[in-house]
Amino acid sequence: MQKICFHFQISQPFRLRTYRFFDINVHHDYFDEFQNSYLVNRLAERCYLPANRLMLDLIRQYPGKIAVSYSIAGSSIKLFQEYCPEVIDSFKELLATGCVEITGSTFTHSIASLHSKTTFAEQVRLQEELLQEVFGIKPTTFCNTEMIYSDEIGEWLAEMGYKIVLTEGAKHILAWKDPGYLYCNPFQTDLKLMLRSYALCDDITLRFNDKSWDQYPLTAEKYLGFLKSVPAEVPHINFAFDYETIGEYYTQETGIFDFFRSLFAHFAEMEEYQMITPNTMIDSTEKYTTLNIPWAISGMGEEKDTEDWVGNELQQEAFDQLFKLEPLYLESRNETAKLNWLRLQSADHFNFMSTKWLNKKSVKRNFDVYPSPYQAFINYMNVLNDVKLQLS
């Protein structure tokens, strides 16, 4: 019996308003309340609420047969609390079923793990506190921002008490190995790794509504046929993608809700599959081997690297200047400025500066309001310079 793990990621940043050079040290309101309210309510209406209802219906229809997990960035939780608290209530209802897990993640969908243990640990700590406060849980599994992972990051997480990490099944790391097996960190061998089968994920996230695809339209039955390509002796098939795939990237009219309802129903009814949450593997006696990941990987692009956030000079300059403020953050007593510095670590701000996808459509740019990566950089740096003054 193959174990099926479906993990959904939710991360919406506090988006920046237009902040000009002459606003520095004059105005300290950096975030666009209208855009933040509009977008999170739009996503709640199109994705979060109907998708949560779908999951709850399936769990009730197939008791003990449906299992899903989520990572919800603290910034998203804060937006839900402020603009649409009914989303929080719907996740509490899902958690109460015992069939849903919320994993650990970073507080602001931060890329701090690419910089230092200190700030990354702070992000993880703040997220843990928020999950305890809102949902009454302490996670033991972890999914980092955009699935960023390396051996060193794994060591940090093991020291923080995590037992399972979800990350990418990158080809250049696995070589001939299959992502469907359990692996572990080479230095902290008690930390298990569950790797995403990205090719199978891409069939949904990239090609579901692609009318030029020779497999269009994608149905649950057809997709189950794709899964038959995974050898029966491979114990796991791990999926992870943005929750917004259901209802936002692909609207209800495309049939995406019907697809997932049918797919999950098939998993519940078929004897050869068992849906699980990641935490069920903590005490598993299943064999696992070490996997060396010396350089950071992610779930983005064909290269599965970190180029989406630090791949060009604009991003690298913003990244360097951002983390130069770490000592000021640690010493500052200005709690508002400290929170703003944490929010500026969001991967989304750096994605808006990316030139990698200028000639391609990327779902990560769905909510990009900047006319160019350069404008995104200028606006970000103006805000960062004011935050620096407030931290000082």
Side-chain angles (χ1 to χ4, degrees), residues 22-271:
F22 296 104
D23 292 327
I24 298 174
N25 213 23
V26 177
H27 304 293
H28 314 306
D29 52 330
Y30 314 120
F31 303 104
D32 191 328
E33 290 188 19
F34 173 78
Q35 280 294 322
N36 288 326
S37 172
Y38 165 72
L39 287 172
V40 78
N41 276 289
R42 186 180 90 180
L43 287 165
E45 180 182 348
R46 293 184 180 184
C47 169
Y48 305 138
L49 292 175
N52 282 1
R53 282 196 297 270
L54 170 62
M55 298 302 165
L56 188 61
D57 289 346
L58 285 164
I59 288 169
R60 288 172 174 170
Q61 185 178 353
Y62 300 98
K65 297 289 187 178
I66 302 295
V68 292
S69 65
Y70 298 89
S71 54
I72 312 173
S75 52
S76 295
I77 294 173
K78 291 293 187 182
L79 285 168
F80 296 152
Q81 289 177 320
E82 187 167 351
Y83 298 116
C84 47
E86 61 271 25
V87 175
I88 297 289
D89 294 336
S90 69
F91 275 110
K92 287 181 178 178
E93 195 171 9
L94 281 174
L95 277 172
T97 66
C99 300
V100 170
E101 176 187 0
I102 295 180
T103 70
S105 56
T106 56
F107 182 58
T108 64
H109 200 56
S110 167
I111 56 173
S113 59
L114 298 178
H115 175 258
S116 75
K117 178 181 178 180
T118 302
T119 304
F120 178 60
E122 176 78 344
Q123 284 276 350
V124 174
R125 179 187 66 81
L126 290 169
Q127 178 70 359
E128 289 176 345
E129 290 179 356
L130 185 61
L131 291 179
Q132 182 64 49
E133 174 191 329
V134 176
F135 298 113
I137 61 172
K138 179 173 176 54
T140 50
T141 64
F142 195 88
C143 184
N144 196 16
T145 301
E146 304 298 341
M147 306 194 90
I148 294 171
Y149 179 81
S150 68
D151 292 338
E152 185 176 36
I153 294 170
E155 288 186 83
W156 299 342
L157 289 169
E159 291 172 13
M160 296 174 202
Y162 286 94
K163 306 297 183 183
I164 299 270
V165 174
L166 306 177
T167 188
E168 183 65 283
K171 275 186 179 179
H172 67 281
I173 293 297
L174 284 169
W176 53 270
K177 302 182 184 73
D178 194 287
Y181 290 93
L182 275 181
Y183 297 92
C184 69
N185 184 283
F187 307 108
Q188 295 279 354
T189 54
D190 287 338
L191 182 75
K192 297 176 183 176
L193 306 179
M194 295 178 68
L195 307 183
R196 184 177 83 125
S197 299
Y198 70 85
L200 288 170
C201 293
D202 289 350
D203 286 334
I204 298 175
T205 59
L206 300 182
R207 291 181 279 277
F208 179 78
N209 201 38
D210 183 358
K211 295 180 181 179
S212 65
W213 185 31
D214 61 0
Q215 298 296 325
Y216 177 86
L218 183 61
T219 63
E221 293 74 19
K222 192 179 292 185
Y223 194 71
L224 288 168
F226 297 171
L227 299 189
K228 298 297 183 185
S229 65
V230 180
E233 64 271 17
V234 173
H236 295 265
I237 307 177
N238 302 318
F239 300 87
F241 39 76
D242 293 342
Y243 204 27
E244 294 84 4
T245 302
I246 310 175
E248 175 62 30
Y249 302 157
Y250 299 114
T251 61
Q252 186 172 7
E253 291 73 20
T254 66
I256 191 72
F257 285 90
D258 293 334
F259 170 79
F260 273 98
R261 181 182 295 277
S262 179
L263 182 64
F264 281 21
H266 277 87
F267 285 144
E269 294 167 353
M270 297 173 70
E271 293 184 357

